[in-house]
Amino acid sequence: MVQTVTNGIGMQLQIAKNDQLYYFEYDDEAPVHNIRRFNFTPAFAYIGGYGVLGSFNGLVCLHDCGYPTGYRICNPLTREYVKLPEFKRDSRCIPWTRGFGYLPLSNEYKVVHIDMLRTDLNVVEVLVYTIGSGNGWRNVGRFDIQSGEACVEDGVFVNGGLHLVETNEGRVFVFDLIEEKFCEPVSPPPLPPGSECCGCSPIGVLDGVLHYGIRYSCQITNCLCYDIWPLKGKNDIRDTKEKVEQKPLGWSKEFGFPRRQPFAFTKSGGVLYFDYSSLRIYDAIASTSKELVRFSEVGEIYPHKNTFVSLKELGEHDVKIMDSAKSIEDRKPFFSAR
């Protein structure tokens, strides 16, 4: 049973200096409040620092940036955490990407690790860990996805599928977490005429819909632009066992956006985004943005909702407890409201 204990939009901050996690809530009436710090350092000894793969129903998946098989699942509210078992990797494989997702109908949380074959760079090998299943890491097979040595970002999970954006050509590879297989890749949205792509175009989730961010330089206005394209229609990635009528996929431009990737809508229709050291809100109608709060030494912000989901109740056995969470009394060194 999931017991939600927050209102509004919950966020987690990864602090770059000391690798701490902070939690705060956003609400239109009280934009930033309830700052809380979670002490992860003693419980998580990482070789190269940690990254956040995702957060679902209060469970956060962390990975070791310097060790390809190092994964943790934790609930910052209950302080439970578990270190996933290591697995033997084929010497002919090299790390490619990973991801974390949740299937509500089956109540399954899955961690995905994907390697690429050294002997054939179009073929990937996929391992899946289902939390609480007792089956450990399962090798679900090798797939010829014609990646062509493509580098991809960590997976973004939505609508039953793990989405992996290619950093050079911009294709989106899709791994179905229900059937545990790859689907046809999705082509990126088109660049506007007379423009030039500027770096990697990230993908993310807004209001339960996958979106693609096109960052480009406009030769006409001679300025840097950033357009948001939600993915419209349905494909065969779904969180249901029933067959549904399929509609063609397509990107639809929603609005232009300043600089950085958005991560949440507010109740009033604004778009929250993190711009290096500040939390900002964007008004798509007026095309204006406003700084809400400025942080010090913040690395990333991730949407998160505090719940009492228990790793033990899900079936994990080697569950440990982190150090106690502490509320922050003096907020001034951490952030300043605008």
Side-chain angles (χ1 to χ4, degrees), residues 24 57 70 74 83 86 108 120 139 157 173 196 232 259 276 315 320 323 328:
F24 71 91
N57 294 336
C74 67
K83 176 183 177 182
E86 297 185 13
E108 291 179 305
D120 188 345
N139 189 323
F157 178 81
F173 297 101
E196 182 178 350
K232 303 295 185 180
R259 302 180 67 184
Y276 298 102
K320 295 180 173 59
D323 284 355
I328 295 180

Side-chain angles (χ1 to χ4, degrees), residues 283-300:
D283 185 335
I285 297 177
S287 298
T288 58
S289 63
K290 175 185 177 182
E291 184 177 279
L292 297 174
V293 60
R294 179 169 293 275
F295 301 101
S296 61
E297 300 177 338
V298 172
E300 298 288 343

Side-chain angles (χ1 to χ4, degrees), residues 58-293:
L59 296 187
V60 182
C61 181
L62 307 173
H63 70 89
D64 191 331
C65 296
Y67 194 62
T69 62
Y71 294 95
R72 309 284 196 279
I73 304 293
C74 67
N75 184 331
L77 184 65
T78 65
R79 299 186 290 124
E80 288 184 334
Y81 79 94
V82 63
K83 176 183 177 182
L84 301 192
E86 297 185 13
F87 51 87
K88 292 183 178 180
R89 299 175 58 248
D90 193 316
S91 60
R92 295 170 295 177
C93 293
I94 54 178
W96 193 52
T97 191
R98 53 212 157 194
F100 178 54
Y102 172 65
L103 304 174
L105 287 186
S106 57
N107 194 34
E108 291 179 305
Y109 300 82
K110 294 185 177 183
V111 182
V112 179
H113 177 95
I114 306 179
D115 286 332
M116 178 181 286
L117 265 63
R118 297 178 189 270
T119 54
D120 188 345
L121 299 179
N122 288 313
V123 177
V124 297
E125 184 173 85
V126 182
L127 293 94
V128 176
Y129 184 95
T130 303
I131 295 175
S133 68
N135 297 323
W137 288 95
R138 296 176 293 108
N139 189 323
V140 300
R142 292 181 175 177
F143 302 87
D144 188 345
I145 61 172
Q146 295 297 309
S147 61
E149 301 184 57
C151 295
V152 294
E153 301 290 334
D154 288 339
V156 173
F157 178 81
V158 65
N159 194 26
L162 198 64
H163 297 74
L164 315 160
V165 66
E166 188 181 19
T167 57
N168 48 3
E169 295 184 7
R171 289 180 299 170
V172 180
F173 297 101
V174 185
F175 182 73
D176 186 335
L177 269 191
I178 299 171
E179 299 186 5
E180 297 182 344
K181 66 178 184 180
F182 274 93
C183 305
E184 288 294 322
V186 180
S187 298
L191 279 170
S195 64
E196 182 178 350
C197 182
C198 295
C200 178
S201 299
I203 57 176
V205 179
L206 273 174
D207 201 24
V209 177
L210 184 75
H211 72 265
Y212 200 111
I214 295 289
R215 186 181 291 111
Y216 62 95
S217 175
C218 180
Q219 296 179 1
I220 299 176
T221 60
N222 195 29
C223 65
L224 185 65
C225 303
Y226 189 60
D227 292 343
I228 299 298
W229 294 71
L231 185 61
K232 303 295 185 180
K234 295 182 178 180
N235 60 358
D236 58 356
I237 296 298
R238 62 205 179 280
D239 191 21
T240 177
K241 300 299 182 182
E242 299 177 0
K243 296 293 182 182
V244 295
E245 181 181 356
Q246 304 302 313
K247 297 181 181 180
L249 284 171
W251 302 101
S252 176
K253 181 181 174 181
E254 190 81 4
F255 51 80
F257 200 77
R259 302 180 67 184
R260 296 296 299 273
Q261 183 180 6
F263 56 79
F265 284 117
T266 68
K267 295 177 183 178
S268 61
V271 186
L272 292 177
Y273 69 103
F274 180 57
D275 189 12
Y276 298 102
S277 61
S278 65
L279 175 68
R280 305 181 69 92
I281 186 168
Y282 180 71
D283 185 335
I285 297 177
S287 298
T288 58
S289 63
K290 175 185 177 182
E291 184 177 279
L292 297 174
V293 60

